[in-house]
Amino acid sequence: MESVKPDKRGERSRRTREKIVDAARELFVAQGYGATNLQEIADRAGVAVQTVYFVFHNKRTLFKDVVDTAIAGDAEPVATMDREWFRAACAEPTAAGQLRVHVHGTREILGRVAPIMPLIAAAAATDPEIAAQWPDGPDPRYTVQYSAAEALVSKPDARPGLSAGMAADLLFGLLSPQLYLIFVRDRDWSSQTWEEWAGTTLISQLCADLG
């Protein structure tokens, strides 16, 4: 019997991991973290519950992977600021161009991560070990927005006198998961409408008035 090639085993393992993470995300959003058990996740993913334990060991680890994958869009260990879309946005020659690309990339992230943000707060409030996975300190999302702001204020059409700190604050606030949920979930905006609004608003606040 011919042995399975390592790359095929790796691909099969990757697909299994993705199925488990996708199933967990769906159930966590629908039922909440506390109400979802690993057997339900295994059933949804079409795998044995022992497989879930083998890959993730426990529900806390799986939950962290669900969050990390939602932020990144995949399981690759690449930080947001090293992602191609973020670098492309910062490389735009104008502030307005950077904002359009940045808002589009952020929209794709928020579409994945915003629905699970309330779950993080709820789970962390009842499980100290989950809370420890997101320790107090600088918000990683603000770190990303500050990096974008530093690139933006150097562009020729950035608003005169605009500091990186002020630009980062506006990016951090207007592109927050909470505000996204207010418009898209609570007010039934499409994500495209939100993107157009966020881009127009940020350009008006952060770019020079060329009119």
Side-chain angles (χ1 to χ4, degrees):
M1 182 176 178
E2 186 175 330
S3 62
V4 178
K5 293 182 179 179
D7 59 337
K8 290 185 178 180
R9 284 200 300 268
E11 176 64 18
R12 189 165 60 221
S13 297
R14 184 188 63 79
R15 288 199 303 267
T16 297
R17 188 183 188 93
E18 287 179 351
K19 286 196 300 183
I20 295 170
V21 169
D22 288 345
R25 181 173 58 250
E26 292 169 5
L27 288 169
F28 287 151
V29 171
Q31 302 178 172
Y33 172 79
T36 301
N37 62 58
L38 293 182
Q39 183 64 62
E40 291 175 301
I41 293 169
D43 292 343
R44 175 69 66 93
V47 302
V49 70
Q50 291 86 352
T51 301
V52 180
Y53 280 108
F54 177 78
V55 176
F56 294 99
H57 307 298
N58 56 57
K59 190 167 73 167
R60 294 185 187 96
T61 303
L62 174 54
F63 183 68
K64 181 67 162 55
D65 207 88
V66 166
V67 175
D68 291 346
T69 302
I71 293 170
D74 55 48
E76 296 300 317
V78 180
T80 299
M81 289 183 290
D82 293 326
R83 293 270 166 178
E84 183 177 347
W85 74 267
F86 185 86
R87 289 186 168 187
C90 292
E92 283 286 323
T94 66
Q98 179 183 343
L99 286 169
R100 292 188 187 96
V101 177
H102 185 78
V103 171
H104 179 73
T106 302
R107 167 196 160 190
E108 294 187 340
I109 292 176
L110 289 176
R112 298 188 300 266
V113 77
I116 65 176
M117 292 301 290
L119 300 178
I120 298 173
T126 58
D127 189 330
E129 291 190 40
I130 285 183
Q133 293 180 345
W134 287 278
D136 293 334
D139 190 320
R141 196 170 63 80
Y142 185 82
T143 301
V144 169
Q145 302 298 2
Y146 192 87
S147 179
E150 286 186 308
L152 187 142
V153 298
S154 68
K155 306 292 170 66
D157 58 330
R159 184 173 292 279
L162 178 68
S163 68
M166 176 59 74
D169 287 349
L170 288 169
L171 291 170
F172 183 74
L174 267 70
L175 302 182
S176 68
Q178 295 86 351
L179 197 56
Y180 178 89
L181 287 175
I182 286 174
F183 287 123
V184 175
R185 181 192 64 189
D186 299 344
R187 302 311 309 157
D188 202 29
W189 284 22
S190 70
S191 59
Q192 179 63 44
T193 298
W194 174 88
E195 179 181 338
E196 292 171 358
W197 168 81
T200 299
T201 302
L202 285 168
I203 287 172
S204 71
Q205 292 291 311
L206 300 176
C207 296
D209 184 359
L210 301 179

